[in-house]
Amino acid sequence: MSDSAIHSVAGAAGGIVAMTVTYPLIFLSTRAAVETKKESKSTYQAVLDIIMREGIAGLYSGLNSSLLGIAITNGVYYYFYERSRETILRARSGTKALSTLESMSIGLIAGSATTVISNPIWVIQTSQAVRTLSSDSAQPVVVKKLGFIETVQNILAKGGLPAFWRGLGPALILVINPIIQYTAFEQLKNFLVARRTNKLRAAGAAAAVAVLSDWDFFLLGALSKLAATSATYPYIVVKSRLQAGSANALKYKSSFDGLLTILKEEGIEGLYKGIGSKIIQSVLIAAILFAGQRRIFEMTKKVLQPIVVKQ
């Protein structure tokens, strides 16, 4: 098995772990982003309202499709990212560190491929997450929750096959999110490794090269995702509304028109609905993913190594 394939499997596994731990936060941010009412609720109040109306299980509506989505998204992304990275590194000699331009180019290739392939899964997840969203939180929920297959059938019945690519426009624009994330991660990692290596060599270890810890990967993953999510959140709102099949959102002429419409009708705060829980969730999932993916990759390599040697 090639390193890029192992990275793909490790990324999928790490994503599943991270999504399971943080799912209630992405559920809350998705609902807040789709909600068009001007009332604002704290995360605590939103949690209480959902538990009162739908029980604890309500916080996990759409988890099954999210786990499938994150596995596909991360698996495809890591495969294309590592494959492209290997190609670039093989084409030149010298340093193994990627430049900013190389990191951005690799992120663009991997992000675009991942977005097109995984968009149907996120349409299903968003539809499940907002299905029981009520216009009046005081009223009992009467809308039946749908499972994965039922949601697929419902989307097909209402919009046909093209409905699974709702929100693809802003989703492709949001390819800039992982570009910012992985570029920031690579450059922060390069800076940290170079700085620590210089310290080691200055102390007398002439051939030493610094190795980052799991904690380093956790912090670098968190910082890079914080920068990416903060910069792109308004487009996340537009994408969520389109993927949910919101009647207002389907009238948007373009992603930019969606931004202008939300700004006009709901003010600047409309572009940042749910950003609190989204940032917490994004930072946590990225931190867990970067640390977990690296560890799973190393463990898988160790397991496969004896097999390769015997062959």
Side-chain angles (χ1 to χ4, degrees):
M1 185 182 287
S2 66
D3 279 3
S4 54
I6 298 174
H7 273 294
S8 176
V9 172
I16 288 172
V17 172
M19 179 64 78
T20 302
V21 172
T22 65
Y23 186 76
L25 289 169
I26 195 170
F27 173 80
L28 289 171
S29 67
T30 299
R31 282 207 168 186
V34 172
E35 182 61 79
T36 57
K37 292 187 296 184
K38 290 194 175 182
E39 67 169 310
S40 60
K41 297 178 183 178
S42 66
T43 300
Y44 176 72
Q45 187 58 52
V47 170
L48 286 182
D49 285 350
I50 291 168
I51 290 175
M52 262 192 341
R53 292 164 53 203
E54 304 171 45
I56 294 290
L59 293 171
Y60 292 89
S61 293
L63 176 61
N64 54 351
S65 51
S66 284
L67 293 179
L68 177 60
I70 200 71
I72 292 174
T73 298
N74 284 1
V76 172
Y77 192 92
Y78 272 101
Y79 180 80
F80 278 95
Y81 188 89
E82 293 298 332
R83 197 74 172 176
S84 301
R85 187 173 185 273
E86 288 172 9
T87 301
I88 287 176
L89 292 178
R90 276 200 305 267
R92 61 172 167 80
S93 57
T95 178
K96 295 295 183 181
L98 294 173
S99 68
T100 301
L101 182 60
E102 287 171 337
S103 293
M104 292 178 70
S105 299
I106 290 171
L108 180 62
I109 294 168
S112 299
T114 303
T115 297
V116 174
I117 292 170
S118 66
N119 198 77
I121 301 296
W122 297 118
V123 168
I124 295 167
Q125 183 274 327
T126 305
S127 298
Q128 287 183 305
V130 304
R131 180 168 173 77
T132 56
L133 187 62
S134 172
S135 59
D136 184 358
S137 60
Q139 296 297 319
V141 177
V142 294
V143 179
K144 178 190 173 185
K145 290 182 183 179
L146 299 180
F148 185 87
I149 299 300
E150 291 174 311
T151 303
V152 170
Q153 292 172 337
N154 188 50
I155 293 170
L156 279 172
K158 289 184 176 180
L161 200 58
F164 288 104
W165 277 271
R166 288 191 306 236
L168 183 60
L172 284 170
I173 293 172
L174 281 168
V175 166
I176 196 174
N177 185 297
I179 289 176
I180 294 172
Q181 177 188 354
Y182 282 84
T183 300
F185 177 82
E186 283 288 344
Q187 300 315 307
L188 286 170
K189 184 181 74 172
N190 293 343
F191 171 77
L192 197 56
V193 169
R195 184 179 177 184
R196 291 183 182 176
T197 297
N198 289 337
K199 283 185 177 180
L200 288 172
R201 292 180 179 179
V209 176
V211 177
L212 300 184
S213 67
D214 289 345
W215 182 242
D216 291 325
F217 277 85
F218 186 92
L219 287 178
L220 293 180
L223 288 172
S224 58
K225 191 61 177 181
L226 177 62
T229 299
S230 299
T232 60
Y233 192 76
Y235 275 105
I236 293 176
V237 171
V238 174
K239 178 182 70 103
S240 295
R241 293 187 181 187
L242 284 167
Q243 289 182 337
S246 168
N248 289 334
L250 293 177
K251 296 176 184 176
Y252 299 159
K253 297 174 184 176
S254 65
S255 300
F256 186 66
D257 180 60
L259 294 179
L260 293 179
T261 301
I262 294 170
L263 193 60
K264 179 181 177 182
E265 296 178 354
E266 304 169 47
I268 190 71
E269 64 272 17
L271 294 173
Y272 291 92
K273 282 186 173 180
I275 191 171
S277 53
K278 179 63 177 179
I279 282 183
I280 295 171
Q281 185 269 341
S282 294
V283 167
L284 281 175
I285 201 169
I288 294 169
L289 173 60
F290 274 100
Q293 193 271 345
R294 171 178 172 267
R295 180 59 62 196
I296 294 169
F297 173 80
E298 291 176 350
M299 289 170 60
T300 306
K301 283 279 285 185
K302 284 181 181 178
V303 170
L304 291 177
Q305 195 67 39
I307 298 174
V308 173
V309 171
K310 286 178 183 179
Q311 290 177 343

